Amino acid sequence: MALDCHQGTGPATDRLINFAMHSLYDTPAQAPALYPDLLWKPRAASNPAMLRQSWVRRYDKATLGTGYATPARIAEALCAFLPDTDQSVLDYDCGTGVLGLALQAAGCTDITGIDPSEVLIARAQARGVYRDLHRIQPGYEMLREGRWAAIATAGSLGLGPVGPCQVERLTRALMPGGLLALAVPDYCTSAGISARAVEATLDSGAMQQLFREHGAHLPALCQGSTVIILQKS
Protein backbone atom coordinates (compact mmCIF):
# COMPACT_ATOMS: atom_id res chain seq x y z
CA MET A 1 0.00 0.00 0.00
CA ALA A 2 1.79 3.08 -1.23
CA LEU A 3 1.36 6.50 0.30
CA ASP A 4 0.41 9.41 -1.91
CA CYS A 5 3.33 11.53 -0.82
CA HIS A 6 7.10 11.55 -0.84
CA GLN A 7 8.58 9.61 2.07
CA GLY A 8 11.36 10.63 4.38
CA THR A 9 12.11 14.23 3.43
CA GLY A 10 10.45 17.61 3.18
CA PRO A 11 7.90 19.53 5.26
CA ALA A 12 5.99 16.43 6.42
CA THR A 13 9.09 14.88 7.93
CA ASP A 14 10.05 18.23 9.43
CA ARG A 15 6.64 18.40 11.13
CA LEU A 16 7.12 14.89 12.53
CA ILE A 17 10.55 15.81 13.87
CA ASN A 18 9.11 18.95 15.45
CA PHE A 19 6.29 16.88 16.96
CA ALA A 20 8.79 14.51 18.57
CA MET A 21 10.88 17.36 19.90
CA HIS A 22 7.90 19.15 21.41
CA SER A 23 6.54 15.89 22.80
CA LEU A 24 9.61 14.57 24.56
CA TYR A 25 11.19 17.86 25.60
CA ASP A 26 9.87 21.14 27.00
CA THR A 27 11.26 23.10 24.04
CA PRO A 28 12.70 22.09 20.66
CA ALA A 29 16.02 23.61 21.71
CA GLN A 30 16.38 20.92 24.37
CA ALA A 31 16.06 18.09 21.84
CA PRO A 32 18.93 16.65 19.80
CA ALA A 33 19.28 18.11 16.34
CA LEU A 34 18.69 14.82 14.53
CA TYR A 35 15.66 12.63 15.09
CA PRO A 36 17.57 9.30 15.05
CA ASP A 37 19.72 10.69 17.85
CA LEU A 38 16.56 11.43 19.80
CA LEU A 39 15.39 7.86 19.33
CA TRP A 40 18.54 5.86 19.79
CA LYS A 41 20.95 7.82 21.99
CA PRO A 42 21.97 5.96 25.17
CA ARG A 43 19.60 6.56 28.06
CA ALA A 44 19.52 5.70 31.73
CA ALA A 45 17.21 2.78 32.47
CA SER A 46 14.60 5.01 34.09
CA ASN A 47 14.38 7.49 31.23
CA PRO A 48 11.92 5.79 28.84
CA ALA A 49 8.98 5.80 31.25
CA MET A 50 9.81 9.35 32.34
CA LEU A 51 9.91 10.54 28.75
CA ARG A 52 6.59 8.91 27.92
CA GLN A 53 4.85 10.29 30.99
CA SER A 54 6.04 13.76 30.08
CA TRP A 55 4.10 13.69 26.84
CA VAL A 56 1.09 11.46 27.70
CA ARG A 57 -1.31 14.42 27.75
CA ARG A 58 -0.48 15.15 24.12
CA TYR A 59 0.07 11.63 22.85
CA ASP A 60 -3.42 10.60 21.76
CA LYS A 61 -4.16 13.98 20.23
CA ALA A 62 -0.88 14.04 18.35
CA THR A 63 -1.19 10.48 17.02
CA LEU A 64 -4.93 9.91 16.59
CA GLY A 65 -5.28 13.49 15.40
CA THR A 66 -2.95 12.68 12.51
CA GLY A 67 -4.89 9.57 11.49
CA TYR A 68 -2.71 7.02 13.31
CA ALA A 69 -3.25 4.00 11.05
CA THR A 70 -0.59 1.54 12.18
CA PRO A 71 -2.47 -0.13 15.10
CA ALA A 72 -5.39 -1.20 12.91
CA ARG A 73 -3.01 -2.46 10.25
CA ILE A 74 -1.09 -4.52 12.82
CA ALA A 75 -4.27 -5.98 14.33
CA GLU A 76 -5.78 -6.93 10.98
CA ALA A 77 -2.57 -8.56 9.78
CA LEU A 78 -2.07 -10.47 13.04
CA CYS A 79 -5.61 -11.82 13.12
CA ALA A 80 -5.28 -13.00 9.54
CA PHE A 81 -2.60 -15.45 10.73
CA LEU A 82 -3.73 -16.14 14.32
CA PRO A 83 -5.38 -19.61 14.35
CA ASP A 84 -7.71 -18.71 17.23
CA THR A 85 -8.52 -15.13 18.24
CA ASP A 86 -9.29 -16.41 21.76
CA GLN A 87 -5.59 -17.15 22.27
CA SER A 88 -3.54 -14.97 24.60
CA VAL A 89 -2.19 -11.81 22.95
CA LEU A 90 0.29 -9.49 24.62
CA ASP A 91 0.16 -5.80 23.74
CA TYR A 92 3.78 -5.01 24.48
CA ASP A 93 4.53 -1.39 25.35
CA CYS A 94 0.77 -0.80 25.23
CA GLY A 95 0.82 2.94 25.93
CA THR A 96 -2.69 4.39 26.17
CA GLY A 97 -4.29 1.28 24.66
CA VAL A 98 -4.78 2.31 21.03
CA LEU A 99 -3.47 -1.03 19.75
CA GLY A 100 -5.61 -2.85 22.32
CA LEU A 101 -8.71 -1.24 20.84
CA ALA A 102 -7.62 -2.29 17.36
CA LEU A 103 -6.95 -5.87 18.49
CA GLN A 104 -10.40 -6.09 20.06
CA ALA A 105 -12.02 -4.69 16.93
CA ALA A 106 -10.19 -7.30 14.86
CA GLY A 107 -11.60 -10.09 17.03
CA CYS A 108 -9.06 -10.76 19.81
CA THR A 109 -10.72 -11.60 23.13
CA ASP A 110 -7.79 -12.27 25.50
CA ILE A 111 -5.52 -9.22 25.50
CA THR A 112 -2.97 -8.34 28.16
CA GLY A 113 -1.16 -5.02 28.14
CA ILE A 114 2.17 -4.19 29.71
CA ASP A 115 3.95 -0.85 29.86
CA PRO A 116 6.56 0.80 32.10
CA SER A 117 4.39 3.87 32.74
CA GLU A 118 1.67 3.88 35.39
CA VAL A 119 0.16 6.99 33.80
CA LEU A 120 -0.20 5.29 30.44
CA ILE A 121 -1.56 2.11 32.01
CA ALA A 122 -4.28 4.15 33.70
CA ARG A 123 -5.27 5.53 30.30
CA ALA A 124 -5.25 2.05 28.80
CA GLN A 125 -7.36 0.68 31.66
CA ALA A 126 -10.08 3.19 30.88
CA ARG A 127 -10.48 1.70 27.41
CA GLY A 128 -11.94 -1.49 28.89
CA VAL A 129 -10.39 -3.88 26.36
CA TYR A 130 -7.68 -5.60 28.42
CA ARG A 131 -8.01 -8.73 30.54
CA ASP A 132 -4.96 -7.65 32.52
CA LEU A 133 -2.64 -4.66 32.60
CA HIS A 134 0.76 -4.65 34.28
CA ARG A 135 3.52 -2.17 34.86
CA ILE A 136 6.93 -3.55 34.09
CA GLN A 137 10.32 -2.15 34.92
CA PRO A 138 12.90 -1.43 32.22
CA GLY A 139 14.63 -4.69 31.43
CA TYR A 140 11.35 -6.58 31.05
CA GLU A 141 12.37 -9.60 33.10
CA MET A 142 8.69 -10.41 33.67
CA LEU A 143 8.48 -11.87 30.16
CA ARG A 144 8.65 -15.62 30.63
CA GLU A 145 9.93 -17.86 27.89
CA GLY A 146 7.16 -19.52 25.87
CA ARG A 147 4.34 -17.58 27.55
CA TRP A 148 2.43 -15.96 24.68
CA ALA A 149 0.61 -17.17 21.59
CA ALA A 150 1.07 -13.75 20.03
CA ILE A 151 2.79 -10.47 20.84
CA ALA A 152 1.86 -7.22 19.14
CA THR A 153 3.65 -3.92 19.47
CA ALA A 154 2.81 -0.71 17.64
CA GLY A 155 5.27 1.87 18.89
CA SER A 156 8.12 0.08 20.59
CA LEU A 157 10.40 0.27 17.55
CA GLY A 158 9.67 3.96 17.20
CA LEU A 159 9.23 6.35 20.12
CA GLY A 160 8.68 3.62 22.69
CA PRO A 161 11.15 2.43 25.33
CA VAL A 162 11.63 -1.05 23.90
CA GLY A 163 13.98 -0.48 21.01
CA PRO A 164 15.16 -2.92 18.38
CA CYS A 165 17.37 -4.90 20.76
CA GLN A 166 14.20 -6.38 22.28
CA VAL A 167 13.14 -8.35 19.18
CA GLU A 168 15.13 -11.35 20.41
CA ARG A 169 13.56 -11.08 23.88
CA LEU A 170 10.06 -10.97 22.41
CA THR A 171 10.87 -14.02 20.29
CA ARG A 172 11.84 -16.00 23.37
CA ALA A 173 8.58 -15.03 25.10
CA LEU A 174 6.50 -16.63 22.34
CA MET A 175 5.20 -20.19 22.34
CA PRO A 176 6.56 -22.39 19.54
CA GLY A 177 4.70 -21.26 16.44
CA GLY A 178 3.74 -18.00 18.15
CA LEU A 179 3.36 -14.78 16.22
CA LEU A 180 5.12 -11.45 16.61
CA ALA A 181 3.34 -8.49 15.01
CA LEU A 182 5.27 -5.24 14.84
CA ALA A 183 5.67 -2.10 12.81
CA VAL A 184 8.77 -0.20 11.78
CA PRO A 185 8.03 3.48 11.07
CA ASP A 186 9.75 5.02 8.07
CA TYR A 187 11.82 7.34 10.25
CA CYS A 188 13.29 4.27 11.96
CA THR A 189 13.85 2.46 8.68
CA SER A 190 15.91 5.42 7.47
CA ALA A 191 18.13 4.99 10.55
CA GLY A 192 18.56 1.30 9.64
CA ILE A 193 18.52 0.03 13.22
CA SER A 194 15.06 -1.55 13.42
CA ALA A 195 15.36 -3.19 10.01
CA ARG A 196 18.67 -4.77 11.01
CA ALA A 197 17.13 -6.19 14.18
CA VAL A 198 14.33 -7.87 12.24
CA GLU A 199 16.66 -9.18 9.55
CA ALA A 200 19.05 -10.55 12.18
CA THR A 201 16.19 -12.47 13.79
CA LEU A 202 15.23 -13.94 10.43
CA ASP A 203 18.82 -14.81 9.56
CA SER A 204 19.23 -16.64 12.87
CA GLY A 205 16.40 -19.01 11.95
CA ALA A 206 14.50 -18.22 15.15
CA MET A 207 11.64 -16.67 13.18
CA GLN A 208 10.15 -16.84 9.71
CA GLN A 209 8.40 -13.96 8.01
CA LEU A 210 4.73 -14.44 7.13
CA PHE A 211 3.81 -10.92 6.12
CA ARG A 212 5.39 -7.56 5.31
CA GLU A 213 3.53 -4.54 3.98
CA HIS A 214 4.27 -0.85 3.78
CA GLY A 215 1.37 1.53 4.33
CA ALA A 216 0.07 4.53 6.22
CA HIS A 217 1.40 5.40 9.68
CA LEU A 218 0.55 9.05 10.33
CA PRO A 219 -1.24 10.04 7.12
CA ALA A 220 -1.70 13.69 8.03
CA LEU A 221 2.09 13.94 8.34
CA CYS A 222 2.63 11.89 5.19
CA GLN A 223 4.47 9.19 7.16
CA GLY A 224 4.36 5.45 6.57
CA SER A 225 5.33 2.28 8.38
CA THR A 226 6.04 -1.33 7.50
CA VAL A 227 3.90 -3.91 9.30
CA ILE A 228 5.65 -7.26 9.75
CA ILE A 229 4.30 -10.60 11.03
CA LEU A 230 6.92 -13.12 12.19
CA GLN A 231 6.35 -16.68 13.37
CA LYS A 232 8.57 -18.44 15.87
CA SER A 233 10.23 -21.53 14.43
Side-chain angles (χ1 to χ4, degrees), residues 24-164:
L24 296 179
Y25 293 84
D26 291 335
T27 67
Q30 294 176 341
L34 297 177
Y35 195 41
D37 292 340
L38 170 63
L39 290 173
W40 307 119
K41 70 172 184 176
R43 297 169 176 164
S46 61
N47 277 0
M50 179 184 69
L51 288 172
R52 285 158 64 81
Q53 288 182 193
S54 72
W55 60 294
V56 64
R57 292 190 301 272
R58 290 164 286 186
Y59 176 80
D60 283 344
K61 181 178 179 180
T63 54
L64 299 179
T66 55
Y68 190 26
T70 294
R73 293 176 53 225
I74 290 174
E76 290 168 7
L78 174 62
C79 289
F81 292 97
L82 196 62
D84 182 356
T85 53
D86 290 334
Q87 289 181 292
S88 59
V89 178
L90 176 67
D91 181 358
Y92 189 64
D93 186 26
C94 66
T96 63
V98 178
L99 178 56
L101 284 172
L103 290 167
Q104 184 189 61
C108 295
T109 61
D110 185 357
I111 310 166
T112 295
I114 56 176
D115 195 277
S117 168
E118 292 179 353
V119 175
L120 294 175
I121 287 173
R123 292 285 187 95
Q125 182 71 52
R127 306 225 186 245
V129 300
Y130 293 97
R131 178 175 60 82
D132 290 309
L133 279 161
H134 302 282
R135 180 180 183 271
I136 50 176
Q137 300 293 331
Y140 305 98
E141 298 302 331
M142 289 178 61
L143 284 176
R144 300 196 304 275
E145 185 169 349
R147 168 69 176 83
W148 301 99
I151 300 174
T153 181
S156 61
L157 292 181
L159 290 175
V162 182

